[in-house]
Amino acid sequence: MRPGLTLWKDRDPAAMRLPGIHGGTLAGPPDDPVHAVGQLAAEGVQFVEVHEPVDLTDQDGGSAVAVLLLVRELTSHGIAVDWTLRMPEPDRWRALSHLHPPAAVLRGPTGEDIDAHVVTAWRDSFHIAKCGYRRGPGFLEIRDHRWNSFRRLVVNAPRSRAFQGLLDGVPVVASATTERALAGYLRENLVHRAGRHLWWTPYRLRRWPLSTTIP
């Protein structure tokens, strides 16, 4: 079941009490997060609350990926998110550390123990454009700062339907064939597995922050 969302046009708690700041609610993450979040940004949404934890211990992973795609797109647009993440192994948080930091990280499939160390490290290390990409004719340029070092990758963009779908925000059900095709991206943590689903982790950089020749 996908968690509901509350939208706000300001992220200041005092401003949220003012008329016109509440932006409504959604029953769950949109099916087309790339297009939907672009519309939310155009409407002035600045803050989104996710009502239930994102559960990476779920064996299917479909609901978790739907929210992760939403958080990725919100981060891409500079929209803050209040969300909670449940992880089987919180020590692997860095693969997701380019996303807007969660309010809490829960350890294990059923426990409510908050891993405060991960939350603090995530918040302290977060910055805009931590792992993003831009598209050129036939290639992607990816800038990755998630592991306290800078990696710049330029890859030829495959024409496969699965890969293009990932870029457009459509998760892929994992199979032996897709995992072989995407093995290099999985190794580089550019594709992340949640349960039975694979999704593209870097977000599109909407403003190129620096020269392409420097980190």
Side-chain angles (χ1 to χ4, degrees), residues 172-199:
V172 172
V173 177
S175 67
T177 301
T178 56
E179 294 212 25
R180 281 197 301 270
L182 300 172
Y185 303 106
L186 284 162
R187 285 195 302 271
E188 296 288 348
N189 288 290
L190 302 177
V191 171
H192 178 259
R193 180 168 185 161
R196 300 188 306 116
H197 292 78
L198 305 173
W199 62 285

Side-chain angles (χ1 to χ4, degrees), residues 39-63:
Q39 284 191 319
L40 294 180
E43 292 167 3
V45 170
Q46 294 187 26
F47 185 71
V48 175
E49 293 178 273
V50 181
H51 297 170
E52 299 292 336
V54 177
D55 190 359
L56 289 181
T57 69
D58 176 53
Q59 293 185 356
D60 178 74
S63 177

Side-chain angles (χ1 to χ4, degrees), residues 66-122:
V67 182
L68 288 168
L69 289 171
L70 173 71
V71 175
R72 185 195 68 187
E73 292 305 307
L74 292 169
T75 306
S76 174
H77 282 273
I79 298 174
V81 196
D82 182 354
W83 64 301
T84 298
L85 179 63
R86 174 175 284 113
M87 303 183 72
E89 298 177 275
D91 293 342
R92 297 189 177 185
W93 65 277
R94 289 191 183 276
L96 305 177
S97 64
H98 60 303
L99 305 178
H100 188 91
V105 175
L106 307 177
R107 182 181 293 273
T110 58
E112 297 297 326
D113 293 334
I114 296 176
D115 197 317
H117 170 73
V118 169
V119 173
T120 300
W122 196 324

